[in-house]
mmCIF file with all atom_site columns, all heavy atoms in Angstrom:
data_model
loop_
_atom_site.group_PDB
_atom_site.id
_atom_site.type_symbol
_atom_site.label_atom_id
_atom_site.label_alt_id
_atom_site.label_comp_id
_atom_site.label_asym_id
_atom_site.label_entity_id
_atom_site.label_seq_id
_atom_site.pdbx_PDB_ins_code
_atom_site.Cartn_x
_atom_site.Cartn_y
_atom_site.Cartn_z
_atom_site.occupancy
_atom_site.B_iso_or_equiv
_atom_site.pdbx_formal_charge
_atom_site.auth_seq_id
_atom_site.auth_comp_id
_atom_site.auth_asym_id
_atom_site.auth_atom_id
_atom_site.pdbx_PDB_model_num
ATOM 1   N N   . ASP A 1 74 ? 43.703 -27.928 -25.298 1.00 0.00 ? 74 ASP A N   1
ATOM 2   C CA  . ASP A 1 74 ? 45.160 -27.977 -24.970 1.00 0.00 ? 74 ASP A CA  1
ATOM 3   C C   . ASP A 1 74 ? 45.989 -28.650 -26.109 1.00 0.00 ? 74 ASP A C   1
ATOM 4   O O   . ASP A 1 74 ? 45.457 -29.318 -26.938 1.00 0.00 ? 74 ASP A O   1
ATOM 5   C CB  . ASP A 1 74 ? 45.323 -28.799 -23.662 1.00 0.00 ? 74 ASP A CB  1
ATOM 6   C CG  . ASP A 1 74 ? 46.575 -28.514 -22.969 1.00 0.00 ? 74 ASP A CG  1
ATOM 7   O OD1 . ASP A 1 74 ? 47.344 -27.636 -23.366 1.00 0.00 ? 74 ASP A OD1 1
ATOM 8   O OD2 . ASP A 1 74 ? 46.835 -29.100 -21.917 1.00 0.00 ? 74 ASP A OD2 1
ATOM 9   N N   . ASN A 1 75 ? 47.274 -28.268 -26.059 1.00 0.00 ? 75 ASN A N   1
ATOM 10  C CA  . ASN A 1 75 ? 48.286 -28.881 -26.909 1.00 0.00 ? 75 ASN A CA  1
ATOM 11  C C   . ASN A 1 75 ? 47.981 -28.719 -28.426 1.00 0.00 ? 75 ASN A C   1
ATOM 12  O O   . ASN A 1 75 ? 47.995 -29.677 -29.186 1.00 0.00 ? 75 ASN A O   1
ATOM 13  C CB  . ASN A 1 75 ? 48.439 -30.380 -26.579 1.00 0.00 ? 75 ASN A CB  1
ATOM 14  C CG  . ASN A 1 75 ? 49.045 -30.586 -25.225 1.00 0.00 ? 75 ASN A CG  1
ATOM 15  O OD1 . ASN A 1 75 ? 49.994 -29.899 -24.877 1.00 0.00 ? 75 ASN A OD1 1
ATOM 16  N ND2 . ASN A 1 75 ? 48.595 -31.525 -24.452 1.00 0.00 ? 75 ASN A ND2 1
ATOM 17  N N   . ARG A 1 76 ? 47.726 -27.505 -28.831 1.00 0.00 ? 76 ARG A N   1
ATOM 18  C CA  . ARG A 1 76 ? 47.569 -27.201 -30.260 1.00 0.00 ? 76 ARG A CA  1
ATOM 19  C C   . ARG A 1 76 ? 48.786 -26.426 -30.776 1.00 0.00 ? 76 ARG A C   1
ATOM 20  O O   . ARG A 1 76 ? 49.128 -25.418 -30.148 1.00 0.00 ? 76 ARG A O   1
ATOM 21  C CB  . ARG A 1 76 ? 46.229 -26.342 -30.490 1.00 0.00 ? 76 ARG A CB  1
ATOM 22  C CG  . ARG A 1 76 ? 44.994 -27.039 -29.924 1.00 0.00 ? 76 ARG A CG  1
ATOM 23  C CD  . ARG A 1 76 ? 44.718 -28.358 -30.551 1.00 0.00 ? 76 ARG A CD  1
ATOM 24  N NE  . ARG A 1 76 ? 43.780 -29.154 -29.800 1.00 0.00 ? 76 ARG A NE  1
ATOM 25  C CZ  . ARG A 1 76 ? 43.136 -30.198 -30.302 1.00 0.00 ? 76 ARG A CZ  1
ATOM 26  N NH1 . ARG A 1 76 ? 43.351 -30.619 -31.473 1.00 0.00 ? 76 ARG A NH1 1
ATOM 27  N NH2 . ARG A 1 76 ? 42.302 -30.927 -29.511 1.00 0.00 ? 76 ARG A NH2 1
ATOM 28  N N   . LEU A 1 77 ? 49.402 -26.910 -31.799 1.00 0.00 ? 77 LEU A N   1
ATOM 29  C CA  . LEU A 1 77 ? 50.570 -26.269 -32.318 1.00 0.00 ? 77 LEU A CA  1
ATOM 30  C C   . LEU A 1 77 ? 50.316 -25.442 -33.537 1.00 0.00 ? 77 LEU A C   1
ATOM 31  O O   . LEU A 1 77 ? 49.470 -25.703 -34.342 1.00 0.00 ? 77 LEU A O   1
ATOM 32  C CB  . LEU A 1 77 ? 51.634 -27.378 -32.655 1.00 0.00 ? 77 LEU A CB  1
ATOM 33  C CG  . LEU A 1 77 ? 52.088 -28.255 -31.507 1.00 0.00 ? 77 LEU A CG  1
ATOM 34  C CD1 . LEU A 1 77 ? 53.147 -29.306 -32.021 1.00 0.00 ? 77 LEU A CD1 1
ATOM 35  C CD2 . LEU A 1 77 ? 52.717 -27.449 -30.392 1.00 0.00 ? 77 LEU A CD2 1
ATOM 36  N N   . TRP A 1 78 ? 51.099 -24.361 -33.634 1.00 0.00 ? 78 TRP A N   1
ATOM 37  C CA  . TRP A 1 78 ? 51.027 -23.468 -34.795 1.00 0.00 ? 78 TRP A CA  1
ATOM 38  C C   . TRP A 1 78 ? 52.537 -23.085 -35.121 1.00 0.00 ? 78 TRP A C   1
ATOM 39  O O   . TRP A 1 78 ? 53.157 -22.462 -34.354 1.00 0.00 ? 78 TRP A O   1
ATOM 40  C CB  . TRP A 1 78 ? 50.264 -22.184 -34.506 1.00 0.00 ? 78 TRP A CB  1
ATOM 41  C CG  . TRP A 1 78 ? 50.160 -21.276 -35.672 1.00 0.00 ? 78 TRP A CG  1
ATOM 42  C CD1 . TRP A 1 78 ? 51.056 -20.337 -36.125 1.00 0.00 ? 78 TRP A CD1 1
ATOM 43  C CD2 . TRP A 1 78 ? 48.967 -21.081 -36.491 1.00 0.00 ? 78 TRP A CD2 1
ATOM 44  N NE1 . TRP A 1 78 ? 50.613 -19.769 -37.217 1.00 0.00 ? 78 TRP A NE1 1
ATOM 45  C CE2 . TRP A 1 78 ? 49.311 -20.109 -37.478 1.00 0.00 ? 78 TRP A CE2 1
ATOM 46  C CE3 . TRP A 1 78 ? 47.722 -21.658 -36.551 1.00 0.00 ? 78 TRP A CE3 1
ATOM 47  C CZ2 . TRP A 1 78 ? 48.424 -19.699 -38.451 1.00 0.00 ? 78 TRP A CZ2 1
ATOM 48  C CZ3 . TRP A 1 78 ? 46.847 -21.215 -37.556 1.00 0.00 ? 78 TRP A CZ3 1
ATOM 49  C CH2 . TRP A 1 78 ? 47.198 -20.278 -38.443 1.00 0.00 ? 78 TRP A CH2 1
ATOM 50  N N   . SER A 1 79 ? 52.914 -23.549 -36.300 1.00 0.00 ? 79 SER A N   1
ATOM 51  C CA  . SER A 1 79 ? 54.361 -23.389 -36.706 1.00 0.00 ? 79 SER A CA  1
ATOM 52  C C   . SER A 1 79 ? 55.337 -23.736 -35.587 1.00 0.00 ? 79 SER A C   1
ATOM 53  O O   . SER A 1 79 ? 56.390 -23.119 -35.333 1.00 0.00 ? 79 SER A O   1
ATOM 54  C CB  . SER A 1 79 ? 54.613 -21.866 -36.998 1.00 0.00 ? 79 SER A CB  1
ATOM 55  O OG  . SER A 1 79 ? 53.778 -21.492 -38.031 1.00 0.00 ? 79 SER A OG  1
ATOM 56  N N   . GLY A 1 80 ? 55.042 -24.978 -34.897 1.00 0.00 ? 80 GLY A N   1
ATOM 57  C CA  . GLY A 1 80 ? 55.856 -25.448 -33.918 1.00 0.00 ? 80 GLY A CA  1
ATOM 58  C C   . GLY A 1 80 ? 55.763 -24.826 -32.572 1.00 0.00 ? 80 GLY A C   1
ATOM 59  O O   . GLY A 1 80 ? 56.467 -25.232 -31.607 1.00 0.00 ? 80 GLY A O   1
ATOM 60  N N   . LYS A 1 81 ? 54.879 -23.845 -32.440 1.00 0.00 ? 81 LYS A N   1
ATOM 61  C CA  . LYS A 1 81 ? 54.730 -23.126 -31.134 1.00 0.00 ? 81 LYS A CA  1
ATOM 62  C C   . LYS A 1 81 ? 53.554 -23.707 -30.397 1.00 0.00 ? 81 LYS A C   1
ATOM 63  O O   . LYS A 1 81 ? 52.465 -24.029 -30.978 1.00 0.00 ? 81 LYS A O   1
ATOM 64  C CB  . LYS A 1 81 ? 54.486 -21.596 -31.345 1.00 0.00 ? 81 LYS A CB  1
ATOM 65  C CG  . LYS A 1 81 ? 55.674 -20.919 -32.000 1.00 0.00 ? 81 LYS A CG  1
ATOM 66  C CD  . LYS A 1 81 ? 55.405 -19.486 -32.258 1.00 0.00 ? 81 LYS A CD  1
ATOM 67  C CE  . LYS A 1 81 ? 56.604 -18.737 -32.877 1.00 0.00 ? 81 LYS A CE  1
ATOM 68  N NZ  . LYS A 1 81 ? 56.271 -17.308 -33.116 1.00 0.00 ? 81 LYS A NZ  1
ATOM 69  N N   . PHE A 1 82 ? 53.721 -23.777 -29.038 1.00 0.00 ? 82 PHE A N   1
ATOM 70  C CA  . PHE A 1 82 ? 52.672 -24.227 -28.148 1.00 0.00 ? 82 PHE A CA  1
ATOM 71  C C   . PHE A 1 82 ? 51.519 -23.299 -28.030 1.00 0.00 ? 82 PHE A C   1
ATOM 72  O O   . PHE A 1 82 ? 51.720 -22.076 -27.950 1.00 0.00 ? 82 PHE A O   1
ATOM 73  C CB  . PHE A 1 82 ? 53.250 -24.598 -26.744 1.00 0.00 ? 82 PHE A CB  1
ATOM 74  C CG  . PHE A 1 82 ? 52.153 -24.813 -25.705 1.00 0.00 ? 82 PHE A CG  1
ATOM 75  C CD1 . PHE A 1 82 ? 51.537 -26.082 -25.668 1.00 0.00 ? 82 PHE A CD1 1
ATOM 76  C CD2 . PHE A 1 82 ? 51.804 -23.887 -24.834 1.00 0.00 ? 82 PHE A CD2 1
ATOM 77  C CE1 . PHE A 1 82 ? 50.548 -26.289 -24.682 1.00 0.00 ? 82 PHE A CE1 1
ATOM 78  C CE2 . PHE A 1 82 ? 50.833 -24.065 -23.877 1.00 0.00 ? 82 PHE A CE2 1
ATOM 79  C CZ  . PHE A 1 82 ? 50.202 -25.345 -23.827 1.00 0.00 ? 82 PHE A CZ  1
ATOM 80  N N   . GLY A 1 83 ? 50.315 -23.821 -27.926 1.00 0.00 ? 83 GLY A N   1
ATOM 81  C CA  . GLY A 1 83 ? 49.160 -22.930 -27.770 1.00 0.00 ? 83 GLY A CA  1
ATOM 82  C C   . GLY A 1 83 ? 47.830 -23.670 -27.571 1.00 0.00 ? 83 GLY A C   1
ATOM 83  O O   . GLY A 1 83 ? 47.872 -24.893 -27.250 1.00 0.00 ? 83 GLY A O   1
ATOM 84  N N   . TYR A 1 84 ? 46.797 -22.961 -27.734 1.00 0.00 ? 84 TYR A N   1
ATOM 85  C CA  . TYR A 1 84 ? 45.451 -23.580 -27.533 1.00 0.00 ? 84 TYR A CA  1
ATOM 86  C C   . TYR A 1 84 ? 44.524 -23.213 -28.628 1.00 0.00 ? 84 TYR A C   1
ATOM 87  O O   . TYR A 1 84 ? 44.802 -22.246 -29.412 1.00 0.00 ? 84 TYR A O   1
ATOM 88  C CB  . TYR A 1 84 ? 44.815 -22.990 -26.246 1.00 0.00 ? 84 TYR A CB  1
ATOM 89  C CG  . TYR A 1 84 ? 45.598 -23.211 -24.977 1.00 0.00 ? 84 TYR A CG  1
ATOM 90  C CD1 . TYR A 1 84 ? 46.494 -22.158 -24.552 1.00 0.00 ? 84 TYR A CD1 1
ATOM 91  C CD2 . TYR A 1 84 ? 45.538 -24.300 -24.134 1.00 0.00 ? 84 TYR A CD2 1
ATOM 92  C CE1 . TYR A 1 84 ? 47.232 -22.277 -23.392 1.00 0.00 ? 84 TYR A CE1 1
ATOM 93  C CE2 . TYR A 1 84 ? 46.207 -24.405 -23.000 1.00 0.00 ? 84 TYR A CE2 1
ATOM 94  C CZ  . TYR A 1 84 ? 47.104 -23.380 -22.655 1.00 0.00 ? 84 TYR A CZ  1
ATOM 95  O OH  . TYR A 1 84 ? 47.841 -23.534 -21.432 1.00 0.00 ? 84 TYR A OH  1
ATOM 96  N N   . HIS A 1 85 ? 43.422 -23.937 -28.817 1.00 0.00 ? 85 HIS A N   1
ATOM 97  C CA  . HIS A 1 85 ? 42.286 -23.432 -29.552 1.00 0.00 ? 85 HIS A CA  1
ATOM 98  C C   . HIS A 1 85 ? 41.423 -22.789 -28.573 1.00 0.00 ? 85 HIS A C   1
ATOM 99  O O   . HIS A 1 85 ? 40.984 -23.344 -27.532 1.00 0.00 ? 85 HIS A O   1
ATOM 100 C CB  . HIS A 1 85 ? 41.570 -24.609 -30.265 1.00 0.00 ? 85 HIS A CB  1
ATOM 101 C CG  . HIS A 1 85 ? 42.261 -24.988 -31.552 1.00 0.00 ? 85 HIS A CG  1
ATOM 102 N ND1 . HIS A 1 85 ? 41.798 -26.106 -32.313 1.00 0.00 ? 85 HIS A ND1 1
ATOM 103 C CD2 . HIS A 1 85 ? 43.301 -24.511 -32.191 1.00 0.00 ? 85 HIS A CD2 1
ATOM 104 C CE1 . HIS A 1 85 ? 42.529 -26.222 -33.357 1.00 0.00 ? 85 HIS A CE1 1
ATOM 105 N NE2 . HIS A 1 85 ? 43.501 -25.253 -33.377 1.00 0.00 ? 85 HIS A NE2 1
#
Side-chain angles (χ1 to χ4, degrees):
D74 205 2
N75 291 321
R76 306 294 164 168
L77 299 179
W78 182 282
S79 300
K81 297 180 180 178
F82 168 78
Y84 306 92
H85 279 177

